[in-house]
Amino acid sequence: MPDVEVDRAAEEDVAAKVRDLFGEDYAVIIMDSDFTTFDEVERACMALFGYSRADAEALAMRVHTTGEALAAVMPEAAARRAVRELRRRNVLARVEKL
């Protein structure tokens, strides 16, 4: 039988390391919508996040097939600005704390 205390300590250690790595980071999530085209998602990701055309196409397809996809990870202020700009470009998006 595994040692529960060791497992708990390991989980807490991993959680602490994740907080150290991503503690101030936020996710920019693009969501599928009936009013946004693939081209709008692709152009926005290339302009705002520096995606290549191929990466932007792959992201747009992931948004379409799964309903949403992670577009970027960045500090809170930048993530909120990116979401405002995505929405200005007709792309449905939200910010989530990691």
Side-chain angles (χ1 to χ4, degrees):
M1 177 173 276
D3 186 350
V4 175
E5 287 299 315
V6 171
D7 288 344
R8 189 172 302 129
E11 287 177 14
E12 290 172 3
D13 186 45
V14 168
K17 288 179 181 174
V18 168
R19 278 192 303 276
D20 288 344
L21 287 172
F22 300 107
E24 300 301 317
D25 286 336
Y26 286 72
V28 176
I29 309 290
I30 294 177
M31 298 170 287
D32 194 27
S33 71
D34 293 335
F35 56 85
T36 304
T37 67
F38 276 74
D39 190 55
E40 288 170 320
V41 172
E42 293 165 9
R43 287 178 186 267
C45 287
M46 290 187 308
L48 297 174
F49 308 121
Y51 277 42
S52 67
R53 169 66 71 184
D55 288 340
E57 288 173 354
L59 178 73
M61 181 56 72
R62 195 164 44 255
V63 168
H64 177 68
T65 58
T66 66
E68 64 183 31
L70 174 67
V73 174
M74 54 187 53
E76 182 178 15
R80 294 195 184 283
R81 278 192 305 274
V83 166
R84 282 192 302 273
E85 182 60 23
L86 285 164
R87 290 176 180 168
R88 191 183 73 70
R89 293 170 175 259
N90 199 39
V91 177
L92 187 59
R94 72 176 189 274
V95 173
E96 277 190 18
K97 176 81 170 95
L98 291 179

